[in-house]
Amino acid sequence: MISPATNESILEAARLLKSGGLVAFPTETVYGLGANALDARAVSQIFRTKDRPAFDPLIVHIPDFESLTIVSSDVSERVQRLTQAFWPGPLTIILPKAVCIPDLVTSGLPDVAVRMPAHPVALELIRSAGLPIAAPSANKFGKLSPTTAKHVQKQLPDLPLILDGGPCEVGLESTVVRIEKDGFRILRHGAITREMLLNHLEESKAYQTVDPLPAASPGLMKSHYSPEKRLYIVGDHALPEDKTQAAYIGFGSLEGQSGYKLYRQLSPSGDLAEAAVNLFQVLHELEEAELEYIVAEPVPETGLGLAVMDRLRKAAFRFHSQAENSSHLSDSSLK
Ligand code: TXA
Ligand code: MG
């Protein structure tokens, strides 16, 4: 059930979390499906509700800097520098896990993913619950991430409580980063870009980005965030001839486009942050429209554009042959 986020509904949600239940709640990135991160039984409900495979670990959400030492056994000075710069905000950091974090949360990995979200409802909820909260995006596994309470309800209609805090400001999941001795690896692109991270770690000259290994995070899976309709990306895939039952998602000017049934814009002015906010919203809308397929124009692969193209390519992946996919995916998914 959707409830507007008020003091009362947030307290009710906190009670549910404390008693081992699940609550969907807004964050600045996407809506999350939360459970007590210290309670393996509660966390197992997340996997069941999402149909999420147990090998895909969860992000633990904390309300303040002090809580970091509860969930992680080793917080280095470099990590502290990043948290001071980007928390609360869309940055998830992979850290050695504390013993109190059940193996189910980390899928048996020795590390835990941690973030402090920048949404007043999320922070108040986590604070009221008095617990670290494990929360993946509140969607069925592999499907589109939710950026509104209605998106959550569409995929997870049986949830007892979906706190409605309005549409998400960022619209794409957090950047996931692992700090290593010789550099950092971006395991998932997001609103905190490689350049932003480099700026805050630059005093150490040896400290450079390292390309991630595909096995470094289950989040590097090639197919994810997928809509129910066939999706093509201009330049990546051969487009069907007949456009009359298709939608076109543009970025910047739509000049020169014609013949499609529907047009949507990620950003008329070509703004990447606006495109990030609109991407999942537009895909949710179009997957429900009377259409045969969707065509999306690529956005420039710089800054936040890397995150937008990562989500688009993962969304399109399952609709295309290995040969078509491999011509471009190896670059973008490993950057
Ligand atoms: O913005 C977000 O991060 C949202 C909101 C709700 O906070 N959450 C989110 O969670 O996107 P989820 O579960 O959809 O994505 C978590 C990502 C996955 O790619 C997962 O593989 C990776 O983080 N991850 C989690 N724990 C990890 C770990 N210990 N090591 C490596 N990757 C990890
Ligand atoms: Mg997700």
Side-chain angles (χ1 to χ4, degrees), residues 10-50:
I10 292 173
L11 279 178
E12 169 60 19
R15 268 196 297 275
L16 266 169
L17 290 172
K18 281 193 275 195
S19 64
L22 299 187
V23 171
F25 62 95
T27 82
E28 79 282 25
T29 57
V30 300
Y31 274 69
L33 179 63
N36 176 359
L38 306 179
D39 177 352
R41 211 159 48 172
V43 169
S44 71
Q45 300 293 333
I46 292 181
F47 285 91
R48 192 164 320 145
T49 303
K50 280 186 58 109

Short mmCIF file of all heavy atoms in Angstrom, two decimals, residues 10-50:
data_model
loop_
_atom_site.label_atom_id
_atom_site.label_comp_id
_atom_site.label_asym_id
_atom_site.label_seq_id
_atom_site.Cartn_x
_atom_site.Cartn_y
_atom_site.Cartn_z
N ILE A 10 6.17 7.25 8.71
CA ILE A 10 7.60 6.90 8.85
C ILE A 10 7.80 6.10 10.15
O ILE A 10 8.54 5.10 10.16
CB ILE A 10 8.49 8.16 8.82
CG1 ILE A 10 8.44 8.78 7.41
CG2 ILE A 10 9.93 7.83 9.19
CD1 ILE A 10 9.14 10.12 7.27
N LEU A 11 7.10 6.50 11.22
CA LEU A 11 7.20 5.74 12.47
C LEU A 11 6.64 4.33 12.32
O LEU A 11 7.22 3.35 12.80
CB LEU A 11 6.46 6.46 13.60
CG LEU A 11 7.25 7.61 14.25
CD1 LEU A 11 6.42 8.28 15.33
CD2 LEU A 11 8.58 7.09 14.83
N GLU A 12 5.54 4.24 11.59
CA GLU A 12 4.93 2.93 11.33
C GLU A 12 5.92 2.06 10.52
O GLU A 12 6.12 0.87 10.79
CB GLU A 12 3.62 3.14 10.55
CG GLU A 12 2.98 1.89 9.95
CD GLU A 12 2.63 0.85 11.01
OE1 GLU A 12 2.55 1.22 12.19
OE2 GLU A 12 2.47 -0.33 10.64
N ALA A 13 6.56 2.68 9.52
CA ALA A 13 7.54 1.96 8.71
C ALA A 13 8.72 1.50 9.57
O ALA A 13 9.20 0.37 9.43
CB ALA A 13 8.04 2.87 7.58
N ALA A 14 9.16 2.35 10.48
CA ALA A 14 10.28 1.99 11.37
C ALA A 14 9.88 0.81 12.25
O ALA A 14 10.68 -0.11 12.47
CB ALA A 14 10.68 3.20 12.22
N ARG A 15 8.63 0.83 12.73
CA ARG A 15 8.15 -0.31 13.55
C ARG A 15 8.18 -1.60 12.74
O ARG A 15 8.61 -2.65 13.21
CB ARG A 15 6.72 -0.03 14.03
CG ARG A 15 6.68 0.65 15.38
CD ARG A 15 5.27 0.56 16.00
NE ARG A 15 4.27 1.25 15.20
CZ ARG A 15 4.01 2.56 15.30
NH1 ARG A 15 4.66 3.30 16.18
NH2 ARG A 15 3.09 3.12 14.55
N LEU A 16 7.70 -1.50 11.48
CA LEU A 16 7.72 -2.69 10.61
C LEU A 16 9.13 -3.23 10.44
O LEU A 16 9.37 -4.44 10.54
CB LEU A 16 7.17 -2.32 9.23
CG LEU A 16 5.68 -2.55 8.97
CD1 LEU A 16 5.28 -1.89 7.65
CD2 LEU A 16 5.41 -4.06 8.90
N LEU A 17 10.07 -2.33 10.20
CA LEU A 17 11.47 -2.76 10.00
C LEU A 17 12.01 -3.42 11.26
O LEU A 17 12.67 -4.46 11.19
CB LEU A 17 12.35 -1.55 9.62
CG LEU A 17 12.10 -0.97 8.22
CD1 LEU A 17 12.89 0.33 8.04
CD2 LEU A 17 12.51 -1.98 7.14
N LYS A 18 11.70 -2.83 12.42
CA LYS A 18 12.21 -3.39 13.68
C LYS A 18 11.64 -4.77 13.96
O LYS A 18 12.26 -5.59 14.62
CB LYS A 18 11.91 -2.44 14.85
CG LYS A 18 12.89 -1.27 14.90
CD LYS A 18 12.80 -0.50 16.21
CE LYS A 18 11.70 0.52 16.13
NZ LYS A 18 11.76 1.54 17.20
N SER A 19 10.43 -5.01 13.45
CA SER A 19 9.82 -6.32 13.73
C SER A 19 10.11 -7.33 12.61
O SER A 19 9.46 -8.37 12.51
CB SER A 19 8.31 -6.16 13.94
OG SER A 19 7.72 -5.71 12.74
N GLY A 20 11.08 -7.00 11.73
CA GLY A 20 11.51 -7.98 10.74
C GLY A 20 10.77 -7.88 9.42
O GLY A 20 10.92 -8.75 8.55
N GLY A 21 9.99 -6.82 9.23
CA GLY A 21 9.22 -6.66 7.98
C GLY A 21 9.97 -5.89 6.92
O GLY A 21 11.11 -5.44 7.13
N LEU A 22 9.32 -5.75 5.76
CA LEU A 22 9.89 -5.02 4.63
C LEU A 22 9.13 -3.71 4.42
O LEU A 22 7.91 -3.67 4.58
CB LEU A 22 9.74 -5.82 3.33
CG LEU A 22 10.41 -7.18 3.22
CD1 LEU A 22 10.27 -7.69 1.78
CD2 LEU A 22 11.86 -7.10 3.62
N VAL A 23 9.86 -2.67 4.02
CA VAL A 23 9.25 -1.38 3.70
C VAL A 23 9.93 -0.82 2.46
O VAL A 23 11.16 -0.87 2.35
CB VAL A 23 9.46 -0.38 4.86
CG1 VAL A 23 9.03 1.02 4.44
CG2 VAL A 23 8.70 -0.82 6.11
N ALA A 24 9.14 -0.31 1.52
CA ALA A 24 9.75 0.41 0.39
C ALA A 24 9.78 1.89 0.74
O ALA A 24 8.83 2.42 1.31
CB ALA A 24 8.94 0.18 -0.88
N PHE A 25 10.90 2.52 0.42
CA PHE A 25 11.07 3.93 0.81
C PHE A 25 11.86 4.69 -0.26
O PHE A 25 12.63 4.09 -1.02
CB PHE A 25 11.76 4.03 2.18
CG PHE A 25 13.16 3.45 2.21
CD1 PHE A 25 14.28 4.27 2.03
CD2 PHE A 25 13.36 2.09 2.39
CE1 PHE A 25 15.56 3.74 2.05
CE2 PHE A 25 14.65 1.55 2.41
CZ PHE A 25 15.75 2.38 2.24
N PRO A 26 11.64 6.01 -0.32
CA PRO A 26 12.34 6.80 -1.33
C PRO A 26 13.78 7.09 -0.92
O PRO A 26 14.07 7.25 0.27
CB PRO A 26 11.54 8.11 -1.36
CG PRO A 26 10.98 8.24 0.02
CD PRO A 26 10.73 6.83 0.51
N THR A 27 14.68 7.11 -1.89
CA THR A 27 16.00 7.70 -1.67
C THR A 27 16.20 8.70 -2.82
O THR A 27 15.35 8.80 -3.70
CB THR A 27 17.15 6.67 -1.69
OG1 THR A 27 17.52 6.38 -3.04
CG2 THR A 27 16.79 5.38 -0.95
N GLU A 28 17.31 9.41 -2.81
CA GLU A 28 17.54 10.39 -3.88
C GLU A 28 17.83 9.70 -5.22
O GLU A 28 17.68 10.31 -6.27
CB GLU A 28 18.67 11.35 -3.50
CG GLU A 28 20.09 10.82 -3.67
CD GLU A 28 20.53 9.89 -2.54
OE1 GLU A 28 19.68 9.25 -1.89
OE2 GLU A 28 21.76 9.80 -2.33
N THR A 29 18.22 8.41 -5.18
CA THR A 29 18.58 7.72 -6.43
C THR A 29 17.36 7.01 -7.00
O THR A 29 16.84 7.39 -8.05
CB THR A 29 19.70 6.71 -6.18
OG1 THR A 29 19.28 5.79 -5.16
CG2 THR A 29 20.99 7.40 -5.78
N VAL A 30 16.93 5.94 -6.33
CA VAL A 30 15.74 5.17 -6.72
C VAL A 30 15.06 4.72 -5.42
O VAL A 30 15.63 4.88 -4.35
CB VAL A 30 16.11 3.92 -7.58
CG1 VAL A 30 16.82 4.33 -8.87
CG2 VAL A 30 16.97 2.92 -6.80
N TYR A 31 13.87 4.17 -5.52
CA TYR A 31 13.20 3.64 -4.31
C TYR A 31 13.89 2.35 -3.88
O TYR A 31 14.31 1.54 -4.72
CB TYR A 31 11.72 3.39 -4.57
CG TYR A 31 10.87 4.63 -4.36
CD1 TYR A 31 10.97 5.71 -5.23
CD2 TYR A 31 10.00 4.73 -3.27
CE1 TYR A 31 10.22 6.86 -5.02
CE2 TYR A 31 9.23 5.88 -3.06
CZ TYR A 31 9.35 6.93 -3.93
OH TYR A 31 8.62 8.07 -3.71
N GLY A 32 14.02 2.16 -2.56
CA GLY A 32 14.65 0.97 -2.02
C GLY A 32 13.63 0.06 -1.33
O GLY A 32 12.56 0.52 -0.93
N LEU A 33 13.98 -1.22 -1.24
CA LEU A 33 13.15 -2.19 -0.50
C LEU A 33 13.94 -2.59 0.73
O LEU A 33 14.90 -3.36 0.63
CB LEU A 33 12.85 -3.40 -1.38
CG LEU A 33 12.01 -4.50 -0.73
CD1 LEU A 33 10.62 -3.98 -0.38
CD2 LEU A 33 11.89 -5.71 -1.66
N GLY A 34 13.56 -2.04 1.89
CA GLY A 34 14.40 -2.16 3.07
C GLY A 34 14.03 -3.27 4.03
O GLY A 34 12.86 -3.65 4.13
N ALA A 35 15.05 -3.77 4.73
CA ALA A 35 14.86 -4.71 5.84
C ALA A 35 16.01 -4.49 6.82
O ALA A 35 17.05 -3.93 6.44
CB ALA A 35 14.87 -6.15 5.34
N ASN A 36 15.82 -4.94 8.06
CA ASN A 36 16.87 -4.87 9.07
C ASN A 36 18.10 -5.64 8.58
O ASN A 36 18.06 -6.86 8.43
CB ASN A 36 16.32 -5.49 10.37
CG ASN A 36 17.38 -5.57 11.46
OD1 ASN A 36 18.53 -5.18 11.26
ND2 ASN A 36 16.97 -6.07 12.62
N ALA A 37 19.21 -4.91 8.37
CA ALA A 37 20.41 -5.54 7.81
C ALA A 37 21.08 -6.50 8.78
O ALA A 37 21.95 -7.27 8.39
CB ALA A 37 21.42 -4.46 7.39
N LEU A 38 20.68 -6.47 10.06
CA LEU A 38 21.31 -7.35 11.05
C LEU A 38 20.51 -8.64 11.24
O LEU A 38 20.90 -9.49 12.03
CB LEU A 38 21.44 -6.61 12.39
CG LEU A 38 22.16 -5.26 12.34
CD1 LEU A 38 22.21 -4.62 13.72
CD2 LEU A 38 23.57 -5.41 11.76
N ASP A 39 19.40 -8.77 10.53
CA ASP A 39 18.48 -9.88 10.73
C ASP A 39 18.38 -10.70 9.43
O ASP A 39 17.71 -10.31 8.48
CB ASP A 39 17.11 -9.30 11.12
CG ASP A 39 16.04 -10.37 11.29
OD1 ASP A 39 16.28 -11.54 10.98
OD2 ASP A 39 14.94 -10.00 11.74
N ALA A 40 19.07 -11.85 9.44
CA ALA A 40 19.14 -12.64 8.19
C ALA A 40 17.75 -13.06 7.72
O ALA A 40 17.49 -13.13 6.51
CB ALA A 40 20.01 -13.88 8.41
N ARG A 41 16.85 -13.30 8.68
CA ARG A 41 15.52 -13.72 8.26
C ARG A 41 14.78 -12.60 7.54
O ARG A 41 14.11 -12.81 6.52
CB ARG A 41 14.70 -14.19 9.47
CG ARG A 41 13.77 -15.25 9.00
CD ARG A 41 13.22 -16.17 9.94
NE ARG A 41 12.69 -15.48 11.10
CZ ARG A 41 12.00 -16.10 12.03
NH1 ARG A 41 11.78 -17.37 11.92
NH2 ARG A 41 11.54 -15.46 13.07
N ALA A 42 14.89 -11.40 8.07
CA ALA A 42 14.26 -10.25 7.42
C ALA A 42 14.87 -10.04 6.03
O ALA A 42 14.16 -9.80 5.04
CB ALA A 42 14.45 -9.00 8.28
N VAL A 43 16.19 -10.16 5.96
CA VAL A 43 16.87 -9.94 4.68
C VAL A 43 16.46 -11.01 3.66
O VAL A 43 16.31 -10.72 2.46
CB VAL A 43 18.41 -9.94 4.89
CG1 VAL A 43 19.15 -10.00 3.57
CG2 VAL A 43 18.82 -8.70 5.69
N SER A 44 16.20 -12.23 4.13
CA SER A 44 15.82 -13.28 3.18
C SER A 44 14.49 -12.94 2.50
O SER A 44 14.24 -13.34 1.37
CB SER A 44 15.74 -14.64 3.88
OG SER A 44 14.61 -14.68 4.73
N GLN A 45 13.65 -12.16 3.20
CA GLN A 45 12.38 -11.73 2.58
C GLN A 45 12.62 -10.82 1.38
O GLN A 45 11.83 -10.80 0.43
CB GLN A 45 11.52 -10.95 3.59
CG GLN A 45 11.16 -11.72 4.83
CD GLN A 45 10.22 -12.88 4.53
OE1 GLN A 45 9.47 -12.82 3.55
NE2 GLN A 45 10.28 -13.92 5.31
N ILE A 46 13.68 -10.04 1.44
CA ILE A 46 14.00 -9.16 0.30
C ILE A 46 14.27 -10.02 -0.93
O ILE A 46 13.73 -9.77 -2.01
CB ILE A 46 15.25 -8.29 0.60
CG1 ILE A 46 14.96 -7.27 1.69
CG2 ILE A 46 15.71 -7.59 -0.68
CD1 ILE A 46 16.15 -6.36 2.01
N PHE A 47 15.12 -11.03 -0.74
CA PHE A 47 15.49 -11.88 -1.89
C PHE A 47 14.24 -12.56 -2.44
O PHE A 47 14.06 -12.64 -3.66
CB PHE A 47 16.53 -12.92 -1.46
CG PHE A 47 17.91 -12.33 -1.29
CD1 PHE A 47 18.34 -11.85 -0.07
CD2 PHE A 47 18.77 -12.24 -2.38
CE1 PHE A 47 19.60 -11.29 0.08
CE2 PHE A 47 20.04 -11.69 -2.23
CZ PHE A 47 20.46 -11.21 -0.99
N ARG A 48 13.37 -13.03 -1.51
CA ARG A 48 12.17 -13.74 -1.97
C ARG A 48 11.24 -12.79 -2.72
O ARG A 48 10.73 -13.11 -3.79
CB ARG A 48 11.46 -14.34 -0.75
CG ARG A 48 10.39 -15.31 -1.15
CD ARG A 48 9.95 -16.18 0.01
NE ARG A 48 11.07 -16.61 0.85
CZ ARG A 48 11.00 -16.76 2.18
NH1 ARG A 48 9.87 -16.50 2.82
NH2 ARG A 48 12.04 -17.18 2.86
N THR A 49 11.03 -11.60 -2.16
CA THR A 49 10.08 -10.65 -2.76
C THR A 49 10.54 -10.19 -4.14
O THR A 49 9.74 -10.00 -5.04
CB THR A 49 9.92 -9.43 -1.81
OG1 THR A 49 9.51 -9.92 -0.55
CG2 THR A 49 8.90 -8.45 -2.35
N LYS A 50 11.84 -10.01 -4.29
CA LYS A 50 12.36 -9.51 -5.57
C LYS A 50 12.65 -10.62 -6.57
O LYS A 50 13.00 -10.33 -7.72
CB LYS A 50 13.70 -8.78 -5.32
CG LYS A 50 13.57 -7.37 -4.81
CD LYS A 50 14.95 -6.71 -4.74
CE LYS A 50 15.69 -6.68 -6.05
NZ LYS A 50 15.82 -5.37 -6.69
#
